[in-house]
């Protein structure tokens, strides 16, 4: 929808309509020179704003007695005065109201809380949309669940009150947890794309953040039904500061030029309103900042929090770096990486010395006697066309009895990463490669990622293989694990494999395929792909018949200008049969290895579990579906998958409604996590909910995931290739926890990178137009799924109306009853 007043405004995340971005993260944050804060700069002891943390001894005792509760703090990005920690019993989250109750903890920190007296618990009115706000946290769907594979300008000077603000929200997910993260991407985001329709009228630059009018604290909660109360708490201790304490944002002078603070400090305003504003010493700032502050109004800086005193609304920090202009790809990308603690520095000389020095490297002769030689077999890779770190290869040999010998061959990364070496330590610390739209931050040096370990075609490679004898129906007749040497005959893209699947009888011309080694033919590779596809279809059918769940959600892919790096266009990534083929055999290998290492080392296996959905959120969703007349069965993962598969037709709007409901189903889902089998006593907790299997692990991507390297070492020990790694269950659990933390950060970074590129695409090429379907209706806003781009947007309106969730919505927010979708300019 074209409109002369439309402009992209990369505004701070979470700022509601009518509330200036100058409002601090506390909602009332007057800057030091304002009247409200003058009393705080007077001489004498300042009054404490925050409580002193409890002692470690008291915290330990309180946790043992059950009078204190620990959990990961989650701050609502849309209402940053609200925070939550999960309830240990799976019931409704525990509510933490305001920055004072958060007690200087930041998003993602592991905190200890103490419940408040019942009369101070949050009261939820029956018509409240609190279910929405509570669900507005970052959900995470594992790869097995969904398929693997914003810059901000200050609102300074923006005085027009927008009629409609459309905020982009993206999702991504792994396939294993059954769900994709449509809700995820910019929800945790530090920045959000806003498209503003302008209208005359001033914003109140000093307005405090407004609390949800549907919630209040009751002085006498006894008159209210128990269901309407939400347990509330305050933070009394930070067990682990998982937030990086780094933020990107903008520098401003303090308001009161006559104050003593003005001569010492500048004010740093983070882009993420969940981070406090920060005093930074003027000596850290550019030399001419005080005399020419406007020159830096659009300059993005990185600041690190060094301290946050009990008597200050503001933290103390150090300015780490000037990144460049806000809204440009590289400064914004560096800011995102820094905020999430991603190490993107060059590998040290000490680390690089661990790599083979004599290049070109060749496989030592002794390895041929220790491994099965598969170099003559027809083995090939199937990957995205741009992939350079090729972890896995496949083979499929027809047997005389009509069965198949199928192999999954994984790069033997552990061979090149000696345990305890500098390379091992840095890989363990990074824990994962981080995939951005325009580049990859690798876990391992590129010599390993792209050459020595990568299963590039027509070169001898060290691998770890799982080989099965399978019937055409996918039944396992035999299974073998071992170290191997392979020589991939070709590097297929998903598109190449898809064309083979779609043309089973046509001979594909060699010019349409990549180079194939002379020992093998095009027809041989084609036949192997078709046989793998046939078996994969049966494996997939059986998996879902056995109760697996998949929550497919849309992902954006971009085309970039080769010279400028700017996005030229975007499309929803299509997940096709070639993707499913690879996924089925990777899942089969991961499950096989999980059983193998757990049988060998029941106390020291590194596994991956997926807990069932959060009880309270799932019950809320059940209630919603009942009210909407949707016959959904949430009794198990398989029942939910069946409901989603069978309920909808295949016309455009049915598919859109399915996408909306799939997104809603993703919200109660929990993360899949790595764990050590010896650290969890109840085997029932080992289960993977989405896959509906008792044991699962990650084995198939050691180039990009350190957890897989650890699993390779365990498998090598189980097969007698080496001694068991000298690691206790508690120590292995700590490694698992670190892998979980870095994997979560990697996902957030990937989502924010997608959001950044989409925002720039809209800025450079917009306005963009798409049909959208309403997902939910709030008091002064509604959420829509933008069908063309697979992104969610929240539309804030300054008009009040009631309409069904299937109404058409124009860009101005005016509803009209129609087919359930509307056209929306973005």
């Amino acid at each position: 929808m074209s409109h002369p007043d439309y402009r992209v405004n990369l505004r701070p995340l979470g700022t509601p309509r009518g509330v200036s971005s100058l409002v601090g993260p506390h909602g009332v944050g007057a800057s030091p020179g304002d009247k409200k804060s003058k009393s705080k700069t007077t001489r004498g002891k300042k009054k404490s704003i925050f409580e002193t943390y409890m002692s470690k001894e008291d915290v330990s005792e309180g946790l043992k007695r059950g009078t204190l509760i620990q959990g990961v703090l989650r701050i609502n990005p849309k209402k940053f005065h609200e925070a939550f920690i999960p309830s240990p019993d799976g019931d409704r989250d525990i509510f933490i109201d305001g920055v004072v109750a958060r007690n200087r903890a930041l998003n993602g920190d592991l905190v200890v809380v103490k419940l408040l007296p019942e009369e101070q618990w949050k009261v939820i009115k029956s018509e409240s949309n609190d279910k929405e706000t509570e669900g507005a946290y970052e959900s995470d769907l594992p790869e097995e669940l969904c398929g693997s594979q914003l810059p901000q300008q200050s609102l300074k000077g923006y005085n027009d009150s927008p009629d409609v603000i459309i905020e982009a929200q993206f999702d991504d997910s792994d396939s294993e947890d059954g769900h994709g993260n449509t809700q995820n991407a910019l929800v945790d985001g530090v920045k959000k794309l806003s498209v503003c329709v302008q209208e005359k009228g001033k914003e109140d630059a000093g307005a405090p953040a407004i609390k949800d009018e549907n919630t209040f604290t009751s002085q006498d909660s006894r008159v209210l039904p128990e269901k309407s109360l939400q347990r509330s708490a305050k933070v009394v201790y930070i067990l682990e500061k998982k937030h990086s304490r780094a933020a990107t944002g903008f520098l401003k002078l303090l308001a009161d030029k006559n104050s003593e603070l003005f001569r010492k400090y500048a004010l740093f305003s983070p882009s993420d309103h969940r981070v406090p504003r920060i005093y930074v010493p003027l000596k850290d700032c550019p030399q001419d900042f005080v005399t020419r502050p406007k020159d830096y109004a659009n300059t993005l800086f990185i600041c690190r929090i060094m301290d946050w005193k009990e008597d200050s609304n503001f933290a103390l920090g150090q300015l780490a770096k000037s990144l460049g202009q806000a809204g440009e790809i590289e400064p914004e990308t560096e800011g995102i990486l820094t905020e999430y603690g991603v190490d993107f520095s060059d590998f040290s000389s000490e680390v690089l010395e661990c790599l083979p020095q004599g290049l070109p490297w060749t496989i030592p002769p002794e390895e041929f006697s220790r491994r099965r030689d598969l170099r003559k077999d027809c083995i090939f890779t199937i990957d995205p066309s741009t992939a350079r770190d090729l972890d896995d290869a496949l083979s499929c040999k027809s047997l005389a009895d009509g069965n198949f010998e199928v192999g999954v061959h994984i790069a033997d990364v552990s061979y090149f990463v000696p345990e305890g070496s500098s390379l091992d330590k840095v890989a363990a610390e990074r824990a994962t490669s981080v995939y951005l739209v325009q580049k990859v931050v690798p876990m391992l040096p590129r010599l390993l990622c792209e050459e020595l370990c990568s299963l590039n075609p027509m070169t001898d490679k060290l691998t770890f293989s799982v080989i099965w004898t399978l019937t055409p129906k996918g039944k396992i007749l035999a299974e073998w694990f071992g170290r191997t040497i392979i020589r991939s005959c070709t590097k297929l893209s998903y598109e190449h494999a898809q064309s083979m699947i779609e043309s089973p009888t046509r001979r594909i011309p060699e010019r349409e395929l990549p180079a194939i080694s002379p020992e093998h033919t095009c027809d041989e590779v084609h036949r192997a792909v078709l046989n793998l596809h046939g078996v994969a279809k049966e494996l997939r059918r059986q998996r879902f018949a056995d109760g697996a769940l998949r929550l497919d959600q849309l992902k954006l892919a971009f085309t970039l200008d080769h010279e400028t790096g700017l996005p030229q266009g975007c499309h929803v990534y299509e997940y096709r049969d070639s993707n499913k083929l690879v996924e089925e055999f990777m899942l089969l290998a991961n499950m096989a290895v999980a059983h193998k290492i757990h049988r060998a080392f029941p106390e020291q296996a590194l596994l991956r579990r997926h807990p069932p959905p959060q009880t309270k959120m799932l019950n809320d969703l059940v209630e919603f579906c009942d009210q909407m007349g949707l016959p959904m069965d949430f009794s198990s993962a398989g029942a939910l998958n069946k409901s989603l598969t069978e309920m909808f037709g295949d016309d455009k709007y049915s598919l859109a409604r399915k996408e909306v409901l799939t997104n809603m189903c993703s919200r109660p889902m929990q993360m899949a996590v790595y764990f050590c089998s010896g650290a969890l006593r109840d085997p029932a907790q080992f289960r993977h909910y989405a896959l509906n299997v008792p044991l699962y692990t990650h084995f198939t991507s050691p180039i990009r995931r350190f957890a897989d390297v650890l699993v390779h070492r365990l498998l090598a020990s189980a097969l007698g290739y080496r001694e068991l790694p000298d690691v206790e269950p508690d120590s292995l659990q700590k490694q698992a926890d670190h892998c979980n933390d870095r994997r979560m950060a990697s996902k957030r970074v990937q989502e924010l990178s997608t959001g950044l590129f989409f925002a720039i695409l809209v800025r450079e090429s917009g306005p963009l137009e798409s049909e959208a379907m309403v997902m939910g209706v709030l008091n002064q806003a509604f959420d829509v799924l933008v069908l063309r781009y697979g992104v969610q947007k929240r539309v804030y309106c300054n008009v009040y109306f009631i309409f069904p969730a299937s109404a058409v919505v124009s860009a101005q927010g005016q509803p009209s009853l129609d087919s359930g979708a509307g056209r929306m300019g973005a």
Side-chain angles (χ1 to χ4, degrees):
M1 171 170 187
S2 182
H3 192 290
D5 289 333
Y6 263 86
R7 69 185 176 96
V8 174
N9 172 34
L10 304 174
R11 83 201 293 261
L13 173 66
T15 308
R17 185 197 62 75
V19 178
S20 167
S21 68
L22 301 180
V23 176
H26 321 306
V28 293
S31 64
D34 292 345
K35 290 180 182 178
K36 285 184 182 177
S37 62
K38 279 189 177 176
S39 62
K40 296 207 169 107
T41 60
T42 57
R43 290 180 187 173
K45 182 168 173 61
K46 295 181 182 179
K47 183 180 177 183
S48 288
I49 295 166
F50 302 104
E51 285 188 13
T52 304
Y53 294 129
M54 292 175 68
S55 68
K56 283 185 181 178
E57 294 74 23
D58 288 346
V59 166
S60 180
E61 187 63 27
L63 290 172
K64 284 178 186 173
R65 289 184 177 180
T67 56
L68 300 178
I69 300 169
Q70 77 176 53
V72 174
L73 185 74
R74 192 178 74 244
I75 303 173
N76 188 338
K78 295 179 182 176
K79 297 181 179 179
F80 47 76
H81 66 277
E82 294 186 346
F84 305 88
I85 68 162
S87 175
D89 58 9
D91 200 358
R92 185 183 288 280
D93 287 341
I94 296 167
F95 180 60
I96 299 164
D97 189 14
V99 72
V100 173
R102 286 209 296 270
N103 202 0
R104 295 162 286 166
L106 299 184
N107 192 62
D109 285 353
L110 182 61
V111 299
V112 176
V113 303
K114 181 179 181 181
L115 290 179
L116 298 173
E118 190 171 326
E119 60 269 17
Q120 295 179 40
W121 289 3
K122 183 179 183 181
V123 179
I124 303 166
K125 290 185 180 180
S126 57
E127 69 273 18
S128 164
N129 244 314
D130 258 41
K131 292 171 188 175
E132 182 274 337
T133 61
E134 193 175 349
Y137 73 104
E138 303 82 28
S139 75
D140 279 276
L141 309 178
E143 291 174 3
E144 298 83 20
L145 189 59
C146 41
S148 26
Q149 314 295 315
L150 297 175
Q152 169 231 307
Q153 293 170 343
S154 167
L155 282 191
K156 185 174 179 181
Y158 175 64
N159 292 320
D160 292 332
S161 175
D163 185 53
V164 175
I165 298 165
I166 306 171
E167 298 187 64
Q169 227 175 305
F170 302 80
D171 278 26
D172 183 15
S173 64
D174 299 331
S175 71
E176 67 172 280
D177 297 11
H179 60 285
N181 285 354
T182 326
Q183 161 195 15
N184 232 11
L186 283 192
V187 172
D188 178 59
V190 182
K191 303 149 187 129
K192 275 201 175 184
L193 163 70
S194 299
V195 181
C196 301
V197 183
Q198 297 176 21
E199 181 184 272
K200 289 184 180 177
K202 302 268 184 175
E203 270 195 16
D204 177 5
I210 300 164
K211 292 195 178 184
D212 186 349
E213 65 268 30
N214 283 328
T215 65
F216 59 93
T217 302
S218 169
Q219 294 302 311
D220 186 4
S221 60
R222 290 168 296 178
V223 300
L224 294 152
E226 186 180 346
K227 188 178 179 183
S228 64
L229 287 180
Q230 181 171 17
R231 288 186 297 170
S232 301
K234 62 182 180 182
V235 174
V236 295
Y237 193 75
I238 302 176
L239 276 174
E240 190 175 351
K241 292 181 177 178
K242 293 200 173 188
H243 189 284
S244 68
R245 265 58 186 172
T248 58
F250 300 88
L251 273 183
K252 299 170 186 175
L253 290 173
L254 299 185
D256 186 354
K257 294 184 179 180
N258 299 315
S259 72
E260 191 177 329
L261 283 167
F262 184 88
R263 289 187 287 275
K264 293 183 178 178
Y265 294 101
L267 188 66
F268 179 83
S269 292
S271 305
D272 183 352
H273 281 189
R274 296 171 296 180
V275 178
R277 288 187 289 174
I278 305 166
Y279 289 142
V280 293
L282 283 174
K283 63 181 176 62
D284 287 355
C285 301
Q287 285 187 338
D288 59 348
F289 170 69
V290 174
T291 55
R292 304 178 64 89
K294 288 184 180 178
D295 290 358
Y296 298 93
N298 200 41
T299 301
L300 206 56
F301 292 90
I302 290 178
C303 182
R304 294 188 183 276
I305 293 175
M306 307 308 292
D307 195 10
W308 192 354
K309 305 279 187 196
E310 293 174 11
D311 58 7
S312 177
N313 275 317
F314 303 93
L316 295 172
Q318 286 184 347
L319 214 55
K321 189 176 182 181
S322 169
L323 293 172
Q325 291 298 295
E328 293 183 0
I329 288 172
E330 288 312 315
E332 294 283 358
T333 297
E334 187 174 339
I336 291 167
L337 292 170
T338 304
E339 285 183 359
Y340 282 86
V342 176
D343 180 1
F344 56 96
S345 63
D346 292 335
F347 289 95
S348 69
S349 57
E350 187 182 8
V351 168
L352 296 177
E353 284 169 7
C354 298
L355 303 176
Q357 298 302 304
L359 298 177
W361 180 83
T362 55
I363 296 174
E366 61 268 22
E367 285 301 317
F368 288 90
S369 61
R370 297 171 182 166
R371 296 170 181 261
R372 184 186 283 191
D373 189 347
L374 303 177
R375 288 177 296 167
K376 292 183 179 179
D377 289 11
C378 178
I379 297 174
F380 47 86
T381 58
I382 304 176
D383 286 281
S385 56
T386 56
R388 299 198 304 207
D389 49 352
L390 312 182
D391 286 285
D392 55 271
L394 293 165
S395 61
C396 184
K397 195 184 297 182
S398 296
L399 302 177
D401 59 4
N403 295 318
F404 300 104
E405 182 183 277
V406 174
V408 168
H409 314 279
I410 307 300
D412 190 357
V413 175
S414 61
Y415 176 88
F416 295 97
V417 184
E419 197 169 354
S421 66
S422 298
L423 176 60
D424 183 46
K425 288 171 184 172
V426 77
E429 184 58 35
R430 293 192 178 201
T432 180
S433 295
V434 179
Y435 290 81
L436 305 164
V437 170
Q438 79 278 32
K439 62 185 176 184
V440 179
V441 180
M443 179 181 81
L444 296 167
R446 293 195 184 278
L447 177 63
L448 289 185
C449 287
E450 297 175 9
E451 295 183 45
L452 300 185
C453 293
S454 184
L455 305 183
N456 300 324
M458 290 172 264
T459 54
D460 294 353
K461 297 292 178 180
L462 300 178
T463 45
F464 226 137
S465 300
V466 185
I467 299 174
W468 301 274
T469 302
L470 295 173
T471 70
K473 292 290 185 182
K475 183 181 178 183
I476 298 174
L477 302 178
E479 184 174 70
W480 179 87
F481 301 87
R483 284 178 167 166
T484 51
I485 300 175
I486 69 164
R487 185 179 179 88
S488 169
C489 68
T490 188
K491 177 191 173 185
L492 298 178
S493 68
Y494 282 117
E495 290 75 20
H496 294 137
Q498 188 64 30
S499 69
M500 291 178 172
I501 291 168
E502 291 175 356
S503 309
T505 56
R506 181 173 78 95
R507 192 178 190 283
I508 298 177
E510 289 188 15
R511 67 178 181 276
E512 294 179 18
L513 294 172
I516 296 174
S517 65
E519 297 84 6
H520 302 282
T521 65
C522 216
D523 288 344
E524 189 180 0
V525 174
H526 192 169
R527 214 166 32 248
V529 169
L530 290 175
N531 288 335
L532 286 169
H533 171 59
V535 176
K537 279 198 302 184
E538 292 297 327
L539 289 171
R540 191 176 187 83
R541 182 192 60 75
Q542 190 59 50
R543 268 203 314 117
F544 288 110
D546 290 343
L549 167 66
R550 187 181 182 85
L551 298 177
D552 281 313
Q553 294 190 332
L554 306 177
K555 296 183 187 181
L556 271 184
F558 294 85
T559 52
L560 305 180
D561 185 289
H562 288 297
E563 292 181 5
T564 66
L566 291 171
Q568 293 178 312
C570 69
H571 61 278
V572 171
Y573 183 78
E574 191 177 356
Y575 191 76
R576 300 192 289 181
D577 284 341
S578 55
N579 302 82
K580 295 173 184 176
L581 181 161
V582 174
E583 181 189 10
E584 287 308 315
F585 290 108
M586 297 306 112
L587 291 174
L588 196 65
N590 285 335
M591 288 186 277
V593 170
H595 283 275
K596 184 72 174 176
I597 62 174
H598 185 250
R599 276 196 303 269
F601 312 115
E603 296 290 309
Q604 289 166 288
L606 183 70
L607 302 174
R608 189 161 171 83
R609 66 190 180 91
H610 182 212
Q614 296 176 21
T615 309
K616 179 59 185 169
M617 292 181 72
L618 187 66
N619 291 341
D620 289 344
L621 183 57
V622 170
E623 186 180 332
F624 169 81
C625 289
D626 288 344
Q627 291 171 352
M628 296 296 290
L630 297 170
M632 298 289 293
D633 184 350
F634 292 94
S635 60
S636 67
L640 175 54
N641 192 80
K642 189 176 180 184
S643 294
L644 285 169
T645 304
E646 295 179 356
M647 183 184 301
F648 298 96
D650 55 4
D651 63 281
K652 181 166 67 171
Y653 295 125
S654 291
L655 292 174
R657 282 190 285 272
K658 180 180 179 181
E659 184 66 31
V660 169
L661 192 56
T662 296
N663 171 266
M664 297 180 76
C665 290
S666 77
R667 294 178 183 178
M669 298 295 165
Q670 301 199 62
M671 296 182 302
V673 290
Y674 300 112
F675 71 102
C676 172
S677 55
L680 206 60
R681 289 298 161 198
D682 183 3
Q685 292 185 308
F686 291 16
R687 288 195 66 84
H688 198 294
Y689 172 80
L691 294 175
N692 197 29
V693 294
L695 295 175
Y696 190 70
T697 195
H698 273 169
F699 161 76
T700 54
S701 296
I703 292 177
R704 64 183 177 92
R705 293 187 305 227
F706 192 72
D708 301 51
V709 177
L710 296 174
V711 168
H712 277 229
R713 290 172 180 166
L714 287 167
L715 181 59
S717 299
L719 297 171
Y721 291 124
R722 53 163 286 167
E723 294 295 315
L724 178 65
D726 183 21
V727 59
E728 292 298 315
D730 285 350
S731 177
L732 187 57
Q733 183 59 47
K734 285 180 181 175
Q735 285 188 292
D737 291 339
H738 180 68
C739 288
N740 292 330
D741 290 342
R742 297 320 306 159
R743 190 168 171 82
M744 171 69 76
S746 171
K747 286 171 70 68
R748 299 287 172 255
V749 167
Q750 186 177 356
E751 291 155 2
L752 288 169
S753 178
T754 298
L756 168 63
F757 274 78
F758 189 70
I760 290 172
L761 178 67
V762 173
R763 183 185 71 193
E764 299 293 323
S765 309
L768 307 178
E769 184 174 298
S770 171
E771 288 183 301
M773 179 164 282
V774 177
M775 298 182 65
V777 182
L778 310 176
N779 288 337
Q780 298 180 49
F782 53 93
D783 291 334
V784 297
L785 177 70
V786 182
L787 303 181
R788 179 176 167 191
Y789 302 109
V791 300
Q792 293 180 57
K793 293 176 181 284
R794 172 157 293 180
V795 183
Y796 292 97
C797 308
N798 63 359
V799 291
Y800 294 86
F801 49 79
I802 299 173
F803 62 95
S806 60
V808 175
V809 183
S810 72
Q812 282 74 31
Q814 300 299 325
S816 62
L817 296 178
D818 200 292
S819 61
R823 303 194 75 77
M824 177 165 294

